[in-house]
Amino acid sequence: QVQLQESGPGLVKPSQTLSLTCTVFGGSITTNFYYWSWIRQPPGKGLEWIGYIPYSGSTYYSPSLKSRTSISRNTSKNQFTLQLRSVTPEDTAVYYCAGSRTMATQHIWYEYDYWGQGTQVTVSS
């Protein structure tokens, strides 16, 4: 049974970098065809796909966030990490990591097989 767990600070100051880590249990992030994504939900809004890093290690980001986003991985720890630079209060959201056994359509949420519980990140001075 694959389980995901997000970790990171719950409060980030404006202009700083938000950094979150997702630890995967019960499966390897390098398993063929698996994709590992970051998704967020701002207060009162719907889910927003941020980007993914698949089993191959390449990355792809939402065009609206691409200039500020980096996703990387540590295969020895079975973790993948989100960095979002130059944050503003508009980046306040619950952040989720998610996994899919194949490449999920970015905004078809039922195609994601595994979800973390989500972690609240607030951007405020």
Side-chain angles (χ1 to χ4, degrees), residues 24-62:
V24 179
F25 301 95
S28 171
I29 62 173
T30 60
T31 298
N32 278 350
F33 314 125
Y34 276 59
Y35 282 67
W36 306 99
S37 297
W38 286 99
I39 296 162
R40 69 181 183 180
Q41 185 167 28
K45 298 184 179 181
L47 294 168
E48 178 184 18
W49 181 80
I50 299 171
Y52 64 56
I53 183 166
Y55 62 99
S56 62
S58 58
T59 53
Y60 189 77
Y61 306 118
S62 168

Side-chain angles (χ1 to χ4, degrees), residues 9 14-15 17 25 34-35 42 49 60 62 69 73 81 89 105 107 125:
S15 80
T17 296
F25 301 95
Y34 276 59
Y35 282 67
W49 181 80
Y60 189 77
S62 168
T69 306
R73 67 181 184 177
T81 299
T105 307
H107 299 98
S125 56

Side-chain angles (χ1 to χ4, degrees), residues 11 19 51 66 80 89-90 106 118 125:
L11 180 64
S19 185
K66 181 178 181 179
F80 60 104
E90 285 66 41
Q106 295 171 10
S125 56

